[in-house]
């Protein structure tokens, strides 16, 4: 099942997307429930309740405005750095130069504030050269937690996955490195495009899919998730060590090689650039940088 959050006639709705991706039908939710996007659907299903009934007729997907499936995450988005070998190599002399040289020791984990989340076609705002002129893209598969828990074992981890969505972990590279921790350089307003919907785990296996990114039509990133240094069960086990994960928590799982900083010379995002991120079995997002 694909669950979309969308605006129609000035009102937010949450709906089920048709199998062909051409239509969406709203669930019967209150205005307050719909305000939180797919969150109440996740919580209801985890609690063993039935899906809300569908209300009204299907809408052509091109006639609604898709938003991030979780437009108001309940807390920061969990993120993982250096999780593909080729990406670790391309930034080993810059972003990762002060990190543990053993890439398999522990995942690098940081967060992005909830307020940086925007929709799958929203504009991403460049902060201006006075703040940062090294804005970069990172195409990523995001895991959405269903059943919560703490100290989750790898063997049980996939049972805690509700589904998947697409994220662009937009990054201010100079700010990221300046502060020696990454949250500030990752959390600028609009720096987390997400969507186009949430695909439940019974439709796609995030351990066996493909992440790609195009910049102005040029393919820059292309990597299978099987190439992750730390797979999804390991990430869930690590992040839940002593920390309770809750339904609706989001984990962005890292990016393949091909980011702008890793090119020779580096090619950072410029005003007017359009970046498309696509993940097989999940969907695509496309955002203009303004």
């Amino acid at each position: 099942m694909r669950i979309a959050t969308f605006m129609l006639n000035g009102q937010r709705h949450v709906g089920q997307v048709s199998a062909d991706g051409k239509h969406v039908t709203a669930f019967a939710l209150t205005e307050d429930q719909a305000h939180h996007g797919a969150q109440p659907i996740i919580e209801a299903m985890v609690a063993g309740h039935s899906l809300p009934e569908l209300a009204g007729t299907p809408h052509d997907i091109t006639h609604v405005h898709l938003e991030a499936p979780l437009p108001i995450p309940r807390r920061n988005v969990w993120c993982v750095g250096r999780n593909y070998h080729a990406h670790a190599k391309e930034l080993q002399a810059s972003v990762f130069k002060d990190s543990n040289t053993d890439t398999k020791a522990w995942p690098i984990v940081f967060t992005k504030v909830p307020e940086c989340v925007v929709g799958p076609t929203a504009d991403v705002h460049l902060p201006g050269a006075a703040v940062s002129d090294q804005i970069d893209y990172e195409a990523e598969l995001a895991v959405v937690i269903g059943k919560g828990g703490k100290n989750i074992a790898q063997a049980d981890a996939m049972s805690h996955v509700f589904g998947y969505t697409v994220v662009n972990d937009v990054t201010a590279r100079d700010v990221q490195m300046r502060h020696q921790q990454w949250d500030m350089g990752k959390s600028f307003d609009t720096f987390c495009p997400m969507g186009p919907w949430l695909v439940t785990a019974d439709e796609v296996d995030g351990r066996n899919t493909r992440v790609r990114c195009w910049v102005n039509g040029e393919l820059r990133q292309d990597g299978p998730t099987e190439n992750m240094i730390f797979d999804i069960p390991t990430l869930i086990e690590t992040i839940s060590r002593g920390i309770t994960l809750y339904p609706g928590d989001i984990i962005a799982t890292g990016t393949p090689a091909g980011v702008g900083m890793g090119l020779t010379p580096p090619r950072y995002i410029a005003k007017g650039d359009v970046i498309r991120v696509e993940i097989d079995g999940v969907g695509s997002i496309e955002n203009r940088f303004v």
Side-chain angles (χ1 to χ4, degrees), residues 20 30 40 57 129 174 207 224 227 233 270:
D20 61 8
T30 66
T57 58
D174 44 359
R207 296 167 295 183
N227 286 358

Side-chain angles (χ1 to χ4, degrees), residues 6 17 24 48 77 89 123 127 130 132 136 141 143 166 178 180 182 193 196 203 219 228 234 242 271 282:
F6 62 96
V17 180
V24 60
V77 177
K89 184 176 181 180
D123 288 343
S132 173
D136 208 350
L141 172 73
V143 173
V166 181
R178 175 193 307 155
Q180 300 181 53
W182 298 356
E203 282 207 12
L219 182 63
M228 286 183 182
T234 303
K271 185 175 183 180
V282 181

Side-chain angles (χ1 to χ4, degrees), residues 112 115-118 124-127 135-136 167-172 184-193 289:
K112 296 170 79 82
E115 292 80 6
C116 69
V117 171
V118 293
V124 177
H125 294 271
L126 298 171
I135 308 304
D136 208 350
V167 159
N168 185 349
D169 175 19
V170 184
T171 305
M184 290 188 66
K186 298 281 190 171
S187 292
F188 289 9
D189 294 350
T190 72
F191 269 28
C192 191
F289 285 69

Side-chain angles (χ1 to χ4, degrees), residues 84-95:
Y84 288 76
H85 289 287
H87 178 57
K89 184 176 181 180
E90 72 179 349
L91 297 187
Q92 65 183 355
S94 53
V95 171

Side-chain angles (χ1 to χ4, degrees), residues 81-271:
R82 199 175 66 173
N83 202 27
Y84 288 76
H85 289 287
H87 178 57
K89 184 176 181 180
E90 72 179 349
L91 297 187
Q92 65 183 355
S94 53
V95 171
F96 305 133
K97 63 184 175 62
D98 295 323
S99 301
N100 190 330
T101 56
D102 181 3
T103 58
K104 297 182 180 180
W106 290 96
I108 297 171
V109 180
F110 59 95
T111 66
K112 296 170 79 82
V113 298
E115 292 80 6
C116 69
V117 171
V118 293
T121 61
D123 288 343
V124 177
H125 294 271
L126 298 171
V131 177
S132 173
D133 59 0
Q134 296 182 6
I135 308 304
D136 208 350
Y137 53 87
E138 293 192 358
E140 306 201 13
L141 172 73
V143 173
V144 177
I145 296 296
K147 180 176 64 176
K150 182 168 67 174
N151 299 326
I152 299 167
Q154 287 187 42
D156 301 324
M158 295 305 293
S159 69
H160 291 260
V161 175
F162 182 85
Y164 304 93
T165 191
V166 181
V167 159
N168 185 349
D169 175 19
V170 184
T171 305
R173 294 296 186 192
D174 44 359
V175 178
Q176 177 188 19
M177 294 192 297
R178 175 193 307 155
H179 295 282
Q180 300 181 53
Q181 55 76 37
W182 298 356
D183 291 35
M184 290 188 66
K186 298 281 190 171
S187 292
F188 289 9
D189 294 350
T190 72
F191 269 28
C192 191
M194 180 187 297
W197 38 61
L198 171 57
V199 179
T200 53
D202 58 349
E203 282 207 12
V204 62
D205 185 350
R207 296 167 295 183
N208 182 26
T209 187
R210 180 184 182 192
V211 179
R212 287 175 290 174
C213 176
W214 292 262
V215 179
N216 301 324
E218 176 192 358
L219 182 63
R220 295 272 187 92
Q221 296 182 278
D222 188 353
T225 55
E226 298 98 312
N227 286 358
M228 286 183 182
I229 298 171
F230 302 99
D231 62 12
I232 291 169
T234 303
L235 297 179
I236 292 173
E237 180 183 70
T238 300
I239 294 170
S240 71
R241 288 168 62 95
I243 298 174
T244 301
L245 295 180
Y246 294 99
D249 276 351
I250 303 161
I251 302 173
T253 57
T255 197
V259 299
M261 190 180 200
L263 302 176
T264 304
R267 297 167 65 183
Y268 295 112
I269 298 170
K271 185 175 183 180

